[in-house]
Amino acid sequence: LLVRLVAGPSCDRFGPRRTFAGCLLLGSIPTALAGAVVNVEGLLALRFFIGILGGSFVPCQVWSTGFFDKNVVGTANALTGGFGNAGGGITYFLMPAVFDSLVHDRGLTPHVAWRVTFIVPFICIVVTAVAMLICCEDTPTGKWSDRHLAVQQNLASHGISGAIVDVPGELTDQATTGTDSPNGSDEKKLGFEAVEPKQPGGFAHEAHVGEQQMLDTARGEVVVKPSFREALPVVFSAQTLVLAGGYFCSFGAELAINSILGSYYVKNFPDLKQRGSGNWAAMFGLLNVVFRPLGGVLSDLVYKRTGVWGKKALIHGVALFTGVFLIAIGLTDPHDRNMMFGLVAGMAFFLEAGNGANFGLVPHVHPHANGIVSGCTGATGNLGGIVFAIIFRYNHKDYARVFWIIGVMTIGINLSLSWIRPIPKGQIGGR
């Protein structure tokens, strides 16, 4: 949760690629040290710092947002996020397989094998982070520090002169006009001279948009570096609250349910035993490969027909169905396998699609501060996981009761947020 809150503004300041790689490299250290744990205190500290890896979700979504148009960004964000969530399900299968291989094929004792097993994810994480730094670009047009140049040149090629903001700039910087030269300070002015199109009618295939509208859109879409004072209006805006509330319910419920689902299956179906229940519980996470991207696809489809209001309606709609399935599981407490697995699969469809739909709307809200909005939304999802996990803890093994409690909370929170506009009134960009 804490890392996600920090990672959001870091994306706006340093760029999502570097922030992403930084989270991975920092998180790889406690992963490699897992084998050195000898007591409960060490285990708790280890789990705390491994949480840095979870914060990498935020730069992942911010980075993805920067590469795709608003018409398809929901699908892109949901696809990357879905594979991230599915990693938890894959771990259920992969880590025990590595452990068994070390014990049976390499002759290690179980006491040593589980410690050595953690070297595998450490290697994967480091290789990914290094490859990201060496092989990838910050934006489709190059370096993060030069992100304004493509906008500058594109507007100039359309014969539009003006300036966006100063770089480095703040969230509330006032846009300037004209083609003033730099004033000698360390800041670089995003002013530019208009030029004639290379050929008459060269932009005939494009939609006709007024010069001022094009300039305003550019100003609203270019990400600027945040400061604490000016980030607060973004953090506490009603639109950010909508995204945070939706993700609190969807991703928060997913985290909490993931942690107890295997135990719930063992309780209702003792013959499954630990391994069988773990395999079935892993399917809940693996469904993210399909269901979360589907939420993003649906978000893009409704956006093409109804705009941002359609994206927001989708978030609340799938949340209501999620709540219904959670209540159904809680009230019936199924002891029939087909009924249990069917209800969980139905709940997973709407829950995980909700995650994808939520980050389909995120790029539209305060696009000049996308990192902050993404960080707040992602962190609130983790907060939801903590809150729901506490509810599970204080209800002991009465898992069914907590399911319907989460269902009621999900429906209540989403209904209370449904009246809020999807984007701030008068916002420039993000439409």
Side-chain angles (χ1 to χ4, degrees), residues 242-414:
V242 169
L243 297 169
Y247 210 58
F248 177 94
C249 296
S250 61
F251 188 65
E254 181 182 342
L255 288 177
I257 291 171
N258 250 329
S259 67
I260 61 87
L261 195 56
S263 300
Y264 189 19
Y265 286 162
V266 168
K267 176 176 177 287
N268 282 21
F269 312 110
D271 56 312
L272 281 178
K273 303 189 184 310
Q274 196 67 37
R275 181 175 291 275
S277 64
N279 289 340
W280 277 105
M283 296 303 296
F284 179 69
L286 285 172
L287 289 172
N288 272 289
V289 174
V290 178
F291 291 163
R292 182 160 184 156
L294 185 58
V297 172
L298 292 174
S299 180
D300 289 336
L301 288 175
V302 297
Y303 174 67
K304 292 176 181 178
R305 291 181 175 272
T306 61
V308 289
W309 271 108
K311 284 193 170 187
K312 185 174 185 295
L314 178 65
I315 292 173
H316 299 314
V318 295
L320 295 179
F321 280 104
T322 299
V324 170
F325 272 93
L326 286 167
I327 293 172
I329 293 171
L331 294 181
T332 59
D333 191 19
H335 284 71
D336 175 77
R337 289 192 190 183
N338 293 331
M339 184 177 180
M340 171 67 89
F341 297 149
L343 286 174
V344 169
M347 179 266 294
F349 170 78
F350 291 105
L351 181 75
E352 294 165 4
N355 290 333
N358 206 291
F359 269 86
L361 179 60
V362 165
H364 296 270
V365 179
H366 304 298
H368 63 288
N370 181 250
I372 294 176
V373 177
S374 297
C376 291
T377 304
T380 311
N382 285 88
L383 177 62
I386 294 171
V387 171
F388 294 144
I390 291 173
I391 298 175
F392 272 116
R393 179 183 179 87
Y394 281 94
N395 281 272
H396 304 292
K397 291 190 175 182
D398 192 355
Y399 302 118
R401 184 169 186 264
V402 181
F403 266 78
W404 70 256
I405 290 175
I406 296 176
V408 171
M409 290 179 65
T410 297
I411 293 175
I413 290 173
N414 277 273

Side-chain angles (χ1 to χ4, degrees), residues 12 169-173 224-227 230-232 234 368-369 372:
D12 291 340
E170 309 298 345
L171 289 176
T172 57
D173 275 351
V224 296
K225 79 169 188 176
S227 70
E230 290 152 338
L232 289 180
V234 175
H368 63 288
I372 294 176

Side-chain angles (χ1 to χ4, degrees), residues 94-96 98-99 102 112-122:
L94 183 61
M95 293 298 279
V98 174
F99 171 81
L102 292 173
V112 175
W114 79 264
R115 299 174 185 274
V116 177
T117 298
F118 279 88
I119 298 300
V120 175
F122 166 74

Side-chain angles (χ1 to χ4, degrees), residues 145-158:
S145 58
D146 296 334
R147 62 192 181 278
H148 61 283
L149 294 179
V151 177
Q152 176 179 327
Q153 294 167 0
N154 189 34
L155 288 174
S157 68
H158 285 73

